[in-house]
Amino acid sequence: MLDVRRLILLRDLAAHGTVTAVAELHGVTPSAVSQQLRLLEEETHTHLLERTGRSVRLTAAGHQLAEDTEHVLTALGRARNRLHATTGEPAGSLHFACFPSALAPVAAPLSKILEDAHENLRLHITEAEPETAVRLLLQRRADIALLYRYTNLATPPHPGVETYALRTDPLVAILRSDHPAADPERSPIDLRELAGAPWITAPPQTACGDAVLQACRLAGFTPQVRHTCTDFSAMIALAASSGYTVLIPHVAAALLPPTLAARPVRDHTLTRTIETAVGPGTALEPRIAACLTALRILSNSAADTAKSNAFQGSQRSVGKRTYSDTHRRDYEPACEQCRQLAPETNVGEWSSR
């Protein structure tokens, strides 16, 4: 019988490329990872790794076993889901990793929905950018994560987790209300109109900073950056005091001071996709299925309430429905539906129904 923990290390080595990266992922030393991989080779009686100096790479047999490991983990997850489904109501701790700009508009109402609907379910929220959130999922320190990927950066899917698109979140230009381009009656802004203005951006080598810089360069200019910061609320405050141009995701622009206005931009690739992520084969576990359903309700509710305030409407009401109305009409049937779905059903199918 092969040790599943060692198989996971091999799978992660295939995905991340180095023993050091795998060790950081699991919070252990590189020597401990190397020892476990040697033991896996002894268990399988197969040469799984080619060692050259300090570097290692998988053999053909190693790549095949790493690929088969994904199927093994999925099967184990389905078995666990079937076992948990017999227990009925979602209960226990649920660890949710969420990127910073979605904490207030998404994580806060999510906590209320889940704990009001399921008194024995306790949500634990951790602030984490996507790379960290995925690492927490792979380490089994998070059960579900909210991620984003910028369209114009063509960021590839994260390996080792199952992701399901929740909604798109276009970037918008934050301008002084008296700026000529802030007129709500006019067409979306061409970035070239803002080429001569001072800018506030996220730092280089951050997803938002790189997405904005790339969009500006494709429009034919390099922005004149005066301030850099990662906090979208701070960007808004700086824009209010200075009048400098800011491009931030729509979900972060829900609450603006009256001196500022959010305007759409013409570049349709300047957007990010918000998605949920779970471990392989875990999506139908009652706790996780309930959370996925609640996230779908929050997303749909925001769209129904006001497209111009992504996610924000769900904090107040769902159309004319309150949290309890939403739970009775949509949430409880959806939870039951999750428990009844066949293991092979793709969560992406029911989350968009």
Side-chain angles (χ1 to χ4, degrees), residues 111-141:
S111 177
K112 180 171 178 58
I113 286 179
L114 287 178
E115 295 190 6
D116 283 356
H118 304 288
E119 62 181 4
N120 294 320
L121 183 63
R122 290 292 175 265
L123 185 68
H124 299 268
I125 299 169
T126 299
E127 177 182 330
E129 290 287 356
E131 288 189 4
T132 301
V134 169
R135 184 164 64 248
L136 292 174
L137 282 174
L138 293 174
Q139 293 172 340
R140 312 303 195 267
R141 292 165 58 192

Side-chain angles (χ1 to χ4, degrees), residues 27-79:
V28 297
T29 63
S31 61
V33 173
S34 297
Q35 181 184 26
Q36 292 302 310
L37 292 173
R38 289 193 190 94
L39 290 173
L40 181 61
E41 287 185 303
E42 293 177 9
E43 284 181 332
T44 59
H45 304 288
T46 305
H47 192 45
L48 301 174
L49 302 173
E50 291 282 356
R51 296 174 175 84
T52 305
R54 295 185 177 182
S55 64
V56 297
R57 62 184 181 87
L58 273 66
T59 63
H63 280 292
Q64 183 61 60
L65 184 57
E67 183 179 332
D68 290 340
T69 295
E70 293 289 356
H71 302 301
V72 170
L73 295 175
T74 299
L76 289 173
R78 287 174 177 170

Side-chain angles (χ1 to χ4, degrees), residues 22 119 126 139 160 221 238 247-248 304:
V22 175
E119 62 181 4
T126 299
Q139 293 172 340
F221 70 96
L238 288 169
L247 285 181
I248 59 174
D304 290 344

